[in-house]
Amino acid sequence: MTTLLTLGLLWTLGAPAQGALPPGEFTPFALLVASNEGGPDFASLRYAHRDAERVRDVFHELGALADPRTQVLLGPDSDDLRQAMQAMHNDVQKAKTAGQTVLLLFYYSGHAKDGQLLLGDESLAMDEIKRWLGQSPADLRVAFVDACQAGEFTRMKGGSLAPSIVKVENTQGQIIVTSSSATEGSQESDEIGGSFFTHYLVSGLRGAADHSQDGLVSLREVYDYTYHQVVARTTGSRGGTQHPTYGYQMAGRGNIILTRLSTPSCRISFPADLEGEYLIYDQQKQVIVAELSKKSGKNSTIAVESGIYAIKKRRSTDLLLGEFVLVDGQNLELRDQDLLSVAYENDITKGLVAIRKKTRYIGYSLRFGSQAFFDKPTREELFYTVAQAGLQIEFFGVVSDWVSLTFDVLLGGGSNTTTVRLDNGFDQRVEAAFFRAEFGSGLHFHYQLGNFDLFAGPRLSFLLAVRSLGPPLELWPTQSFGTLSPGITAGCAYHLGDFDFFLESRVHYLYYNIGSNASMGYGGIYLGFSYRS
């Protein structure tokens, strides 16, 4: 049985005269289903599961997706799907009994034929899904079906092959949007790494469909955008032109807002003077996030989460390519001069294989902490525990995207008492002033977890320790010791705009050979912040 992954989704509705209602007006529920397999008579799809995850991600980032009320089924059989439908029906009923207003979303990506959704070696009738939607106590039901002959779903009142639903201004009832008519196939593309329909649906939800430029993407806007893009892209394709369709049974008035471009962590802005076809590729997830057909004279915004993105613009003779690191809160204003001209054979997203360009930038950090030797006698009589402050410069992208090269200096000093053996054999307690400097270089290997950056790596430092004795031994010569010391560094950082706030620890080995031979270790822990340029 397929594992059910629970997620959550929040959509909001708004009246045209008053704008969108506040978040939380509707209690949202969502069932997202994908199946790459359609049985022995059908070739396996490559991107259905990925498409469902992209739909989940866009609502997670821009539609306030949360955990409790959404189920994602990847490769389910018919029993899995029926059980999920019944469980969701029960949950919706409980919410309605509690007095909540409920929105229900259904998404399917996979094979379909003759009115059946094909789930591996099994199938489930489209009519059963339609009955489940129609009998749901949810106030509003919205379905997206990305499958061959999916237009079978829209054979209800209002079903149409028309290119737009701009006149559908109802907010209670049911709307079904499908990737193709009842007699057409729905097509995948290796170039975009997904189906045409879901690709443009997600692109539209990320901002490409925001025709009104109000930062809100409505169902009307995203359908209109998806319809025209899918028709244009599939005209002349091997599978033939594909026409998305819709069907509805509605009552009341209102504008259905699907995503809000004000909620993501990052934005890519395309100024009014830009024009052309732009593609945005997530280097970490290795998926195309969005495609934008930019027209001159209007600003456009694509909302994304923090990460590393390749942006491509196709021209008649070459490609413009660029790679950008986006951190939370950043608004990247793209200019064509920020992109490099390359030949088509050097397309880094061709075949969805990302050949990474190195993204180089520099981090400047200030840190404060403490350093101590592990051996207690050494710590109390020779190398005293010391408070330190230091500076570090870090070069990102010199070695690779995930490795940085660091150079740093740490300084510290103070005073302490120590015991000195005199020539007459007696011990003398005296005050000692000391100074310690450390000059180091290392490699940091980075692993990104959202806003958090985990890093670790080797470090080599030169440790210089200086000590002078106070009365009555102030005439004794100043003592100094210097040596190379290998070690390791580990820590974590939190990204906030161009700044990182970090916690770092270091452990080093030292061979001491003045007066006696000893192997010992020391370590330090530091807090600080850095600025990336």
Side-chain angles (χ1 to χ4, degrees):
M1 302 291 285
T2 301
T3 300
L4 304 184
L5 305 179
T6 56
L7 302 154
L9 176 69
L10 177 61
W11 282 13
T12 59
L13 305 183
Q18 299 177 345
L21 295 175
E25 282 290 325
F26 282 76
T27 301
F29 292 81
L31 177 58
L32 312 178
V33 184
S35 179
N36 282 325
E37 304 301 327
D41 296 332
F42 292 85
S44 297
L45 298 174
R46 298 184 61 185
Y47 305 112
H49 292 189
R50 178 183 288 183
D51 282 344
E53 292 167 346
R54 291 176 65 199
V55 171
R56 175 201 63 196
D57 290 345
V58 72
F59 284 110
H60 176 80
E61 298 165 32
L62 308 180
L65 186 69
D67 289 341
R69 296 180 297 272
T70 298
Q71 297 184 41
V72 177
L73 277 68
L74 302 180
D77 58 28
S78 57
D79 286 339
D80 290 333
L81 183 49
R82 287 190 179 96
Q83 290 173 14
M85 291 160 58
Q86 184 60 52
M88 183 150 291
H89 180 92
N90 295 340
D91 290 342
V92 169
Q93 185 63 64
K94 291 177 183 178
K96 289 296 298 177
T97 302
Q100 301 175 29
T101 304
V102 175
L103 180 147
L104 174 63
L105 167 72
F106 176 78
Y107 171 87
Y108 173 79
S109 178
H111 286 289
K113 184 179 180 182
D114 299 332
Q116 301 283 324
L117 300 182
L118 305 182
L119 307 171
D121 294 330
E122 301 181 12
S123 64
L124 191 71
M126 294 182 186
D127 283 343
E128 188 170 343
I129 302 292
K130 288 164 62 176
R131 284 195 301 274
W132 171 72
L133 287 169
Q135 294 170 3
S136 171
D139 299 272
L140 177 66
R141 288 91 62 197
V142 179
F144 294 101
V145 182
D146 189 353
C148 295
Q149 301 179 10
E152 185 72 26
F153 260 99
T154 62
R155 291 187 174 178
M156 60 179 71
K157 180 181 178 181
S160 173
L161 201 67
S164 176
I165 58 171
V166 295
K167 294 183 180 181
V168 179
E169 296 180 342
N170 307 291
T171 58
Q172 291 184 343
Q174 183 167 301
I175 293 178
I176 296 177
V177 180
T178 69
S179 60
S180 60
S181 72
T183 59
E184 294 175 341
S186 294
Q187 305 169 56
E188 286 190 329
S189 168
D190 287 334
E191 182 182 359
I192 62 177
S195 76
F196 289 110
F197 175 78
T198 297
H199 171 69
Y200 287 112
L201 173 66
V202 171
S203 295
L205 292 170
R206 288 194 177 276
D210 185 19
H211 180 75
S212 62
Q213 296 184 290
D214 59 357
L216 306 173
V217 179
S218 70
L219 178 59
R220 289 178 292 178
E221 286 178 318
V222 78
Y223 177 85
D224 195 48
Y225 172 83
T226 303
Y227 178 91
H228 289 291
Q229 293 296 324
V230 169
V231 171
R233 191 67 175 267
T234 57
T235 299
S237 67
R238 181 181 302 178
T241 304
Q242 184 178 321
H243 299 82
T245 68
Y246 73 90
Y248 63 93
Q249 292 175 326
M250 304 295 293
R253 293 179 59 84
N255 185 24
I256 303 174
I257 303 302
L258 302 187
T259 54
R260 298 171 180 270
L261 306 186
S262 60
T263 59
S265 57
C266 306
R267 298 173 186 83
I268 303 174
S269 299
F270 298 79
D273 59 320
L274 293 188
E275 185 174 13
E277 302 292 327
Y278 293 87
L279 184 144
I280 302 170
Y281 183 86
D282 188 323
Q283 295 280 63
Q284 293 167 297
K285 295 181 179 178
Q286 296 193 4
V287 296
I288 293 176
V289 172
E291 185 172 348
L292 176 66
S293 298
K294 178 67 174 62
K295 295 182 180 180
S296 180
K298 293 184 65 175
N299 296 314
S300 296
T301 298
I302 297 295
V304 297
E305 62 180 347
S306 59
I308 302 174
Y309 293 91
I311 300 179
K312 174 173 73 174
K313 178 182 180 179
R314 299 178 66 91
R315 300 196 297 190
S316 58
T317 59
D318 65 350
L319 295 171
L320 293 180
L321 288 173
E323 187 173 77
F324 303 89
V325 177
L326 300 183
V327 297
D328 276 352
Q330 182 174 355
N331 183 6
L332 171 67
E333 185 173 284
L334 186 74
R335 300 284 181 179
D336 281 354
Q337 53 264 39
D338 299 331
L339 308 177
L340 300 176
S341 173
V342 300
Y344 271 101
E345 56 266 26
N346 294 324
D347 183 354
I348 64 172
T349 59
K350 185 177 181 180
L352 291 179
V353 177
I355 304 172
R356 300 185 183 276
K357 297 193 302 89
K358 292 178 181 177
T359 304
R360 295 183 172 91
Y361 55 95
I362 301 175
Y364 306 91
S365 65
L366 178 65
R367 67 197 57 221
F368 303 91
S370 179
Q371 185 185 86
F373 276 70
F374 303 139
D375 178 65
K376 184 177 180 180
T378 300
R379 184 170 65 245
E380 294 179 348
E381 298 291 341
L382 187 60
F383 294 108
Y384 315 108
T385 299
V386 60
Q388 294 178 306
L391 299 172
Q392 177 174 283
I393 184 170
E394 188 167 5
F395 297 92
F396 294 84
V398 175
V399 180
S400 76
D401 288 338
W402 312 110
V403 181
S404 61
L405 177 64
T406 68
F407 298 93
D408 69 271
V409 57
L410 283 168
L411 303 175
S415 62
N416 207 333
T417 58
T418 188
T419 301
V420 178
R421 177 64 58 89
L422 302 178
D423 292 339
N424 59 14
F426 290 96
D427 291 337
Q428 174 74 50
R429 294 294 294 179
V430 298
E431 189 80 11
F434 65 92
F435 170 77
R436 202 142 73 228
E438 193 172 358
F439 307 90
S441 179
L443 292 176
H444 284 177
F445 296 87
H446 296 263
Y447 179 72
Q448 297 286 337
L449 287 172
N451 292 339
F452 287 93
D453 175 19
L454 306 180
F455 60 89
R459 181 173 182 267
L460 180 66
S461 71
F462 177 78
L463 178 69
L464 175 64
V466 179
R467 183 176 72 168
S468 59
L469 303 179
L473 303 179
E474 66 270 19
L475 296 181
W476 280 35
T478 298
Q479 301 171 329
S480 62
F481 172 77
T483 186
L484 290 174
S485 175
I488 58 174
T489 298
C492 63
Y494 180 77
H495 301 309
L496 187 63
D498 293 331
F499 290 89
D500 291 348
F501 297 88
F502 62 84
L503 173 66
E504 179 181 293
S505 62
R506 295 173 175 177
V507 177
H508 276 263
Y509 164 82
L510 182 146
Y511 177 69
Y512 182 74
N513 59 356
I514 297 179
S516 62
N517 295 327
S519 296
M520 59 190 69
Y522 65 92
I525 187 166
Y526 307 93
L527 287 169
F529 65 91
S530 64
Y531 172 75
R532 296 190 179 195
S533 172

